[in-house]
Amino acid sequence: MMKRIALIVSLLLVLGLSAFGGDDKVPPSSADLQFTVVKATNGKPVRNASVILHTLSEGKQDKGGVQVKTDAEGKTMVPAMPFGKLRVQVIARGFQTFGEDYEIKKPKHEFTIKLQPPKEQFSIYK
């Protein structure tokens, strides 16, 4: 019984020391991303916009991805996105689709996306 208690205490000490191990901590390898989507014309938030994220490898979009929607304030977040190249697309009804690639290399990133109104379409029938 005493050996079992000593073993449990030893395990807890080892786990505790490794979790709070001072200078040899492993740096983070993922980032928390925060997005604010607004109208370019007046800065008002865009509710229910789709924010779509794809990681990139060798310049190509990886399969899968993440899609989140903005709230009433035009905000959304994605926790624990791996460091590296990331393609961000934002789609909202009544606006031009936004798309841009970014390099994620810090533990926190904040993005403000300004959506443009649709451009006039050209027609041969005018």
Side-chain angles (χ1 to χ4, degrees):
M1 180 71 169
M2 191 62 124
K3 286 184 180 181
R4 182 178 271 171
I5 291 174
L7 179 63
I8 291 172
V9 169
S10 297
L11 270 172
L12 290 174
L13 280 173
V14 168
L15 290 174
L17 290 176
S18 66
F20 300 101
D23 293 339
D24 58 346
K25 289 183 183 176
V26 177
S29 60
S30 65
D32 293 335
L33 309 179
Q34 294 186 326
F35 295 90
T36 303
V37 180
V38 296
K39 298 176 184 178
T41 54
N42 60 14
K44 290 187 178 181
V46 177
R47 163 190 279 198
N48 209 32
S50 291
V51 178
I52 304 154
L53 309 173
H54 289 281
T55 56
L56 300 174
S57 298
E58 299 174 13
K60 294 184 179 180
Q61 187 171 296
D62 295 330
K63 291 187 178 191
V66 175
Q67 178 178 352
V68 292
K69 296 275 191 170
T70 59
D71 62 15
E73 287 84 41
K75 297 182 181 289
T76 190
M77 69 170 296
V78 178
M81 183 59 76
F83 283 2
K85 294 192 184 273
L86 181 68
R87 177 161 293 151
V88 176
Q89 295 175 299
V90 181
I91 301 170
R93 179 177 234 139
F95 294 94
Q96 289 182 33
T97 297
F98 172 89
E100 193 155 333
D101 295 346
Y102 297 94
E103 180 75 28
I104 304 301
K105 52 189 171 186
K106 298 184 304 187
K108 290 190 183 232
H109 282 268
E110 293 183 21
F111 299 89
T112 299
I113 309 294
K114 296 179 179 180
L115 293 183
Q116 299 289 335
K119 291 187 177 182
E120 185 178 344
Q121 293 185 358
F122 295 99
S123 172
I124 61 171
Y125 299 107
K126 283 189 174 184

